[in-house]
Amino acid sequence: MPLSKAFMLNFLGNSPKWYKTAIITFLIINPIVFFAISPFVAGWLLVAEFIFTLAMALKCYPLQPGGLLAIQAIAIGMTTPGMVLHEMEANMEVILLLIFMVAGIYFMKELLLYVFTKLITKLRSKVVLSVAFCAAGAILSAFLDALTVIAVIISVVIGFYSVYHKVSSGKGYHHDHDHTHDRDFHEQHRQDLQQFRGFLRNLLMHAGVGTALGGVMTKVGEPQNLIIAEKANWEFIEFAIRMSPVTIPVFFCGLATCMLVEKMGWFSYGVQLPKNVYNVLADYAKDQDQNRTQRETAKLIIQGIIALWLVIGLAFHFAAVGLIGLSVIVLATAFNGVTEEHALGKAFEEALPFTALLGVFFAVVAVIIDQGLFTPVINWVLTYEGTTQMVMFYMANGLLSMVSDNVFVGTVYIEQISTALKNGQITRDQFDMLAVAINTGTNLPSVATPNGQAAFLFLLTSALAPLIRLSYGRMVFMALPYTIVLSIVGFLMIQSGFLDDMTAYYYDAGLIHHHSASEVSDSSSGGH
């Protein structure tokens, strides 16, 4: 084999040849466009290329190709290592959340599997079960955060999948088994497996959208919410109250959409749980209940207490989200007998690749800021006034979040309006209303694409997605009814003046208060 061919085979591993060629082409074109045409055009080209790597996540994990693009961007001067580090420092809460909270959930999987197995085996109506998953995703996201919740759901669904796969491969519940390979899987169960995958895709998408419905409501719901809240100096309760004129109507319309698509079987929803699969899961639940030892019962009790601490700790913001996640790891391992280093290491396998990918994200954010990619849009939107200005911010944030990512759109926009406030272009009350429009704009229409929502991207790049055949295109298609409903309801709540009226009522009732212009964080991208 020629050495050149060996290099090409090693480059991005098992990715298709056309994909490797595309990435190499990007790397050749970018410096030419940057130096010969325009840094601004090169910046938008980089954003488009990065989105391409996200869209092709099942061909190759986006960290490697996206990382190469980010390294090149720094090398040719589109941004600096200092700016990337600054973005990461400003978003340290989000990074700690991913490292510690997602790992913490790993040590609570017995409790989660117990609770959700009861749900699936007791709720026989698919419509009721779907609404339960959607509502559970929303409620949990409001008090935890969308990434944590989707990690919970992924853990639960992998549990269901592995139990059925193990039994249908002729093994017992307690046998070792690799559920990622179908070589031992019995042929007569193939049809049930295909249908079960469809059923799990349905539940995952309902729960995923649920994380968006609940995630938009509170300070801890989504990564950019933390950044917006820090910038605006809003605590947990004030954030929730200010968002409620938009988020409450959207929540109920989202649940109604869930019921409708399940009932009608639209957009590949309405897939029923096969009877054979139900029997396996019901037998598994019964076996677990009958053979549960005292030590296993003690584990469930401890995990239940830790779950309570988790909700209370986050609701009252006793510490940064990531630090509460670290406390979950310590408590869950200390009281459940996990003391070996290698047993701890497994918990970080799911979160750390995505944390590294988020680091690349922040490099792209640094390019967006340094090259002023969003500045023309922001300046144009600021030419409008009153409700129209809020509507334009909502729409601009929504569209940009669909094609890029809601975390860095929210981060860049909140920074731009805080700069406008400091420069006297807007008042503090305008800033507060625009912050609501930015938060709802980045959280609601962004369900359109996996790259739009951090939780969706986490799901797409997880080990579960290939198991249940959940691709980028399929996620976009299944999210479409939700995208339409959530975007329109959010738009109407802002455009109709309902947000203005309710905010005025909250001021009069003393539920929220007017802030001064000086009560704005000085950090360049939110956070401390």
Side-chain angles (χ1 to χ4, degrees), residues 206-329:
H206 291 314
V209 172
T211 65
L213 293 174
V216 68
M217 290 181 172
T218 65
K219 177 179 175 176
V220 298
E222 292 272 358
Q224 74 273 19
N225 297 21
L226 279 170
I227 297 162
I228 291 168
E230 290 289 336
K231 204 73 177 170
N233 200 27
W234 294 339
E235 288 307 317
F236 187 92
I237 301 297
E238 181 175 3
F239 187 99
I241 291 171
R242 284 185 179 275
M243 297 300 157
S244 63
V246 181
T247 58
I248 300 298
V250 164
F251 171 73
F252 287 109
C253 291
L255 291 185
T257 306
C258 176
M259 291 174 68
L260 185 65
V261 294
E262 276 297 332
K263 201 90 174 162
M264 304 303 293
W266 293 339
F267 297 92
S268 72
Y269 288 104
V271 181
Q272 297 297 319
L273 179 65
K275 193 165 192 336
N276 290 336
V277 180
Y278 170 78
N279 291 338
V280 168
L281 294 179
D283 290 345
Y284 169 76
K286 194 182 294 180
D287 177 79
Q288 292 296 99
D289 288 344
Q290 287 173 352
N291 299 312
R292 186 172 292 113
T293 64
Q294 290 291 76
R295 286 190 69 179
E296 287 168 340
T297 303
K299 277 187 180 182
L300 290 178
I301 292 168
I302 288 292
Q303 288 174 24
I305 294 168
I306 294 169
L308 191 62
W309 148 243
L310 194 58
V311 172
I312 293 170
L314 288 168
F316 291 97
H317 205 61
F318 289 146
V321 183
L323 295 183
I324 293 175
L326 180 57
S327 75
V328 168
I329 295 173

Side-chain angles (χ1 to χ4, degrees), residues 107-118:
F107 294 110
M108 296 176 66
K109 61 182 184 293
E110 290 95 347
L111 175 70
L112 297 169
L113 195 56
Y114 173 80
V115 171
F116 281 92
T117 303
K118 293 293 183 195

Side-chain angles (χ1 to χ4, degrees), residues 40 46 100 102 120 139 232 253 265 327 351 371 389 398 401 406 487 492:
F40 185 82
L46 178 76
F100 295 130
V102 175
I120 279 199
I139 293 163
C253 291
S327 75
Q371 300 304 323
Q389 188 183 59
S401 293
N406 63 359
S487 301
L492 290 175

Side-chain angles (χ1 to χ4, degrees), residues 64 107 137 154 194 215 231 405 473 489:
Q64 292 84 355
F107 294 110
I154 288 170
Q194 293 303 330
K231 204 73 177 170
D405 163 74
V489 175

Side-chain angles (χ1 to χ4, degrees), residues 13 46 106 131 404 440 472 485:
L46 178 76
Y106 175 88
V131 172
S404 55
T440 52
Y472 188 98
V485 172

Side-chain angles (χ1 to χ4, degrees), residues 1 5 7 35 66 87 145 164 188 190 218 239 251 283 315 343 406 440 443 446 450 454 475 492 505 516-517 527:
M1 182 189 295
K5 187 176 181 183
F7 274 120
F35 291 112
E87 287 303 308
D145 67 274
Y164 176 67
Q188 65 266 33
R190 294 262 172 203
T218 65
F239 187 99
F251 171 73
D283 290 345
N406 63 359
T440 52
N443 275 301
S446 58
M475 285 184 79
L492 290 175
Y505 169 77
S516 66

